[in-house]
Amino acid sequence: EISLKYGADRLGKRTDDAMRKFRDNRLGAFIHWGLYAIPGGEWNGKVYNGAAEWLKSWAKVPADEWLKLMDQWNPEKFNAKAWAKMAKKMGVKYVKITTKHHEGFCLWPSKYSKYTVAQTPYKKDILGELVKAYNDEGIDVHFYFSVMDWSHPDYRYDIKSEEDAVAFNRFLEFTDNQLKELATRYPTVKDFWFDGTWDASIKKNGWWTAHVEQMLKDMLPGVTINSRLRADDYGKRHFDSNGHLMGDYESGYERRLPDPVKDLKVTRWDWEACMTVPENQWGYHKDWSLSYVKTPLEVLERIVHAVAMGGNMVVNFGPQADGDFRPEEKELADAIGKWMQKYGECIYGCDYAGWDKQSWGYYTRKGKDVYMVVFNPPYSKHLVIKTPKGTKVVKAALLDGKEVAVKETARNEYNVDMPAKDPEGPFVIKLQIEENAGGADKYRDALT
Ligand SMILES: COc1ccc([C@@H]2N[C@@H](C)[C@@H](O)[C@H]2O)cc1
């Protein structure tokens, strides 16, 4: 290993209570809300099919023109309590809120910028209203923060001159001030999720990323920090030059998931995935017909897939400029919430089971309980299980207690019957198992 000053501060998963809560939460929601919600993907009469929160970039709008959108920021339908009730009903245990996206508009009245809610017709502290409303519902709040800031004259994509270095250092100080402001004003925040950290300017300032993690952890003991913030002495990001994960959890699975067979390495560390409902829209876009929109079942499968591999999943919502949600997102929250109400025990506090994935779906595990989450019922009506050496399946039952037959078919192989009554959708079977059950068996491998 090479010696690093700004590499991983810790080897292995964090085991403290705050990280355990982060991990046990498992299901979160993203809120992408900013000035981009006003144009909703359209500029000067042209609709751009790229991500709506990047419209400023697609339509090449100068920052001062883009920020004039602030004059129209007045979400008259915004109701933080209603947002929190929706999140509660969906069954999310935490919500990640864009405090400031790349555009530089702040949802809190930052005293370090003139591009904040305080300078809009709305005036009030939206972030503060949301933190209180979510916390009142027992929902943790995480802050999304974009380091890259298109509104700030001192931001630099790269450092190519002394002038760049001087300006960017001013920018890093401005960023420190905003982060300290967020940590001070909203001390119940549980996590900072950094974005906009891929530019050469940041990679050349790995020291600063290590300093930010430490600064926030000094101010908010227990707070979690995503790997995307971090660059090491050599500009290596997420994993340092010795291959060790920086930050508290990997945050590279954005709109993609690790393969349940080929990427089992991810079960060695904590990680959190995030996903959009359309193919690639985080901020509000007025026309969702421009790409495929995932059904609630397709969103649910991604949630289960992440938990089955020891990760968290954050489902994105892009509220409208008026502060209400589009019907598709309300329906999604409702559908996921109904399923979580019935089957959430296979999600919350669960982890990778360590068993070989089968075609019918996914396993999750909590202590001695192994859950089968069935998405693809087989025509055979038998759900095949292959257990690790020394592990036996003793019993299988639906969550209402109704048993389903389990038949041993070969060494460490079982057929679990599909329930007599078709569950009409993805369902859960809970297994009672016995591990390190020794003893010879009646099976003989073929001589070949
Ligand atoms: C250049 O590629 C991207 C893709 C997505 C992003 C941002 N990360 C997501 C979590 C959203 O905030 C998206 O705008 C930034 C740059």
Side-chain angles (χ1 to χ4, degrees), residues 224-256:
T224 48
I225 303 290
N226 71 330
S227 62
R228 192 176 298 199
L229 164 67
R230 299 294 308 277
D232 76 0
D233 313 47
Y234 299 94
K236 270 283 279 140
R237 299 184 57 239
H238 295 274
F239 291 86
D240 69 18
S241 301
N242 293 317
H244 299 309
L245 181 67
M246 296 183 279
D248 299 306
Y249 59 95
E250 188 196 355
S251 55
Y253 288 103
E254 179 174 316
R255 295 175 39 240
R256 65 189 176 96

Side-chain angles (χ1 to χ4, degrees), residues 59-108:
K60 297 184 176 38
V61 184
D64 51 355
E65 186 185 344
W66 179 264
L67 291 156
K68 283 204 184 81
L69 288 166
M70 283 173 56
D71 301 341
Q72 301 173 58
W73 180 270
N74 195 8
E76 70 275 358
K77 287 189 184 161
F78 175 61
N79 175 332
K81 284 193 179 58
W83 285 29
K85 287 222 172 319
M86 180 176 155
K88 186 77 177 183
K89 263 188 68 187
M90 178 174 170
V92 300
K93 300 294 185 189
Y94 65 103
V95 176
K96 305 185 92 100
I97 308 169
T98 51
T99 58
K100 180 180 85 169
H101 203 262
H102 313 330
E103 63 184 4
F105 177 63
C106 305
L107 287 186
W108 83 100

Side-chain angles (χ1 to χ4, degrees), residues 228-380:
R228 192 176 298 199
L229 164 67
R230 299 294 308 277
D232 76 0
D233 313 47
Y234 299 94
K236 270 283 279 140
R237 299 184 57 239
H238 295 274
F239 291 86
D240 69 18
S241 301
N242 293 317
H244 299 309
L245 181 67
M246 296 183 279
D248 299 306
Y249 59 95
E250 188 196 355
S251 55
Y253 288 103
E254 179 174 316
R255 295 175 39 240
R256 65 189 176 96
L257 280 171
D259 181 276
V261 175
K262 292 181 281 191
D263 296 324
L264 287 176
K265 63 183 186 299
V266 305
T267 59
R268 295 204 307 267
W269 53 80
D270 283 306
W271 57 280
E272 177 196 71
C274 55
M275 63 175 285
T276 52
V277 180
E279 189 269 334
N280 183 12
Q281 290 298 339
W282 298 91
Y284 174 78
H285 195 294
K286 61 180 59 175
D287 185 356
W288 268 20
S289 72
L290 293 172
S291 86
Y292 184 70
V293 177
K294 296 174 201 66
T295 63
L297 280 190
E298 289 170 324
V299 172
L300 177 67
E301 178 152 4
R302 285 164 174 80
I303 295 167
V304 175
H305 179 154
V307 176
M309 295 190 75
N312 287 21
M313 174 57 86
V314 184
V315 179
N316 184 71
F317 290 80
Q320 301 168 165
D322 66 2
D324 200 356
F325 289 88
R326 64 194 322 138
E328 303 95 321
E329 291 184 346
K330 288 179 180 171
E331 285 149 26
L332 172 66
D334 194 49
I336 298 294
K338 283 194 172 68
W339 197 88
M340 289 298 157
Q341 188 76 39
K342 199 166 175 201
Y343 298 111
E345 81 172 77
C346 80
I347 296 293
Y348 306 124
C350 292
D351 210 325
Y352 168 57
W355 295 14
D356 293 345
K357 170 127 178 29
Q358 300 298 331
S359 59
W360 43 258
Y362 304 83
Y363 295 109
T364 64
R365 179 169 187 156
K366 188 182 309 164
K368 290 282 290 169
D369 295 327
V370 174
Y371 297 95
M372 300 168 72
V373 191
V374 183
F375 283 88
N376 317 306
Y379 287 111
S380 67

